[in-house]
Amino acid sequence: MMPVLESKVALVTGAGRGIGRAIAERLARDGASLIIVEIDGKTAMESSAAINKDGGTATPLAIDVAGEHSGDEAIAFATSTYGGIDILVNNAGIAPNRRVLDTTLEEWERVLRVNLTGTFLFCKAAAPVMAKRGGGRIVNIASISGQRGGTGRGAYGTSKAGMLMLTRIMAVEFAPENIAVNAIAPGPIRTDITDHSEGTVSSYLDRIPMRRYGTTGAIAAAVAYLVSPECDFTTGVTLNVDGGFDSTGLIFSQDDLRASDPE
Ligand SMILES: NC(=O)c1ccc[n+]([C@@H]2O[C@H](COP(=O)([O-])OP(=O)(O)OC[C@H]3O[C@@H](n4cnc5c(N)ncnc54)[C@H](O)[C@@H]3O)[C@@H](O)[C@H]2O)c1
């Protein structure tokens, strides 16, 4: 059977490690040719080499997504390498954990610049090229931190909330060009940025009905669905991949639930 993304070109930002690498590997297995965009040239090359060794097709591009012309340069690179772009995944992100009062203007601006402005610049560059090819798919990797208030998430959560609204607005604006724009809001996923203390882990697990962290593969699978031909009538949504966090209110203990059973 032909892979579902055969002849598609996909660009994933921040694909040198963690969630982005898992997404790139999954889309490559599904048949797409990949551009691995990364600020860290070394991991971009490692990630690309792993995909090519596995029988896929990938090309690294070392670039900072926050640069004024990075989006244009990356899409021009995709066009000269593979002839265009069909799938864009905005995954590159930075996530400092700092209270609002301790956040410097410099840090605030950098977080918004990488996470939100980077997404804007890549979408702005990619959409006209997708439109010329008859359509495309954009997936923005946001976060549950963009949906709820939490300590230390001033700049990060605000940037992710901005990504969620930008997703909706672009979904509406790009629909006539047959470009679907969706977001994923991951809960805690085991990667290099979630080296959490015991206290933080238990704080997360208290709010997650599935009582565990997620895997990078779960996010990659959600992206694979959103960019697949089967996902044919979905745009502007946020798919939470969070073990139930978004639905959770109070979680009573089994003891309390038993205590209130009628005798
Ligand atoms: N891990 C989680 O629990 C979690 C939860 C919710 C959302 N997210 C989001 O998922 C995405 C990936 O997270 P991760 O856990 O894999 O993080 P990570 O730090 O392991 O990977 C992020 C990658 O992005 C790259 N990157 C950072 N800034 C860049 C820039 N300016 N230009 C190009 N590349 C850049 C990094 O070099 C790195 O390879 C992020 O947007 C993050 O906010 C992660």
Side-chain angles (χ1 to χ4, degrees), residues 35-246:
I35 301 283
I36 305 292
V37 166
E38 237 313 321
I39 198 167
D40 178 346
K42 187 168 169 284
T43 60
M45 284 189 9
E46 288 166 359
S47 190
S48 275
I51 288 172
N52 290 323
K53 190 164 170 246
D54 207 31
T57 305
T59 308
L61 175 63
I63 208 166
D64 177 352
V65 296
E68 190 180 345
H69 303 293
S70 297
D72 290 330
E73 282 172 31
I75 301 308
F77 183 77
T79 303
S80 64
T81 309
Y82 298 127
I85 181 170
D86 305 291
I87 296 164
L88 167 66
V89 182
N90 289 297
N91 163 82
I94 48 174
N97 209 351
R98 205 149 353 261
R99 289 171 190 277
V100 170
L101 292 185
D102 298 325
T103 301
T104 61
L105 176 61
E106 191 185 359
E107 184 171 70
W108 171 267
E109 288 183 338
R110 180 68 187 161
V111 173
L112 286 164
R113 180 86 188 184
V114 173
N115 298 359
L116 180 57
T117 308
T119 298
F120 158 72
L121 291 170
F122 272 67
C123 291
K124 196 167 182 290
V129 179
M130 290 176 175
K132 275 200 200 127
R133 287 160 76 87
R137 303 289 174 88
I138 297 174
V139 180
N140 297 322
I141 307 300
S143 171
I144 54 171
S145 295
Q147 300 172 314
R148 302 287 174 82
T151 48
R153 292 329 222 176
Y156 178 73
T158 302
S159 73
K160 295 296 184 177
M163 284 175 76
L164 295 178
M165 183 49 83
L166 183 61
T167 296
R168 290 180 164 182
I169 290 167
M170 291 190 301
V172 175
E173 290 189 355
F174 298 173
E177 312 292 352
N178 193 28
I179 300 170
V181 190
N182 292 294
I184 290 175
I189 306 295
R190 288 254 174 251
T191 68
D192 290 347
I193 63 167
T194 46
D195 185 19
H196 293 153
S197 69
E198 218 175 287
T200 297
V201 170
S202 84
S203 172
Y204 267 116
L205 298 191
D206 278 349
R207 286 157 185 80
I208 294 177
M210 292 180 94
R211 301 282 190 203
R212 60 180 169 83
Y213 279 35
T215 62
T216 57
I219 307 301
V223 173
Y225 168 67
L226 289 172
V227 304
S228 72
E230 279 173 307
C231 179
D232 168 56
F233 198 45
T234 299
T235 195
V237 307
T238 298
L239 175 56
N240 274 63
V241 182
D242 64 0
F245 177 96
D246 191 41

Side-chain angles (χ1 to χ4, degrees), residues 1-8 29-31 229:
M1 206 169 56
M2 210 168 69
V4 283
L5 299 181
E6 181 82 44
S7 82
K8 300 288 183 199
R29 280 203 303 280
D30 286 352

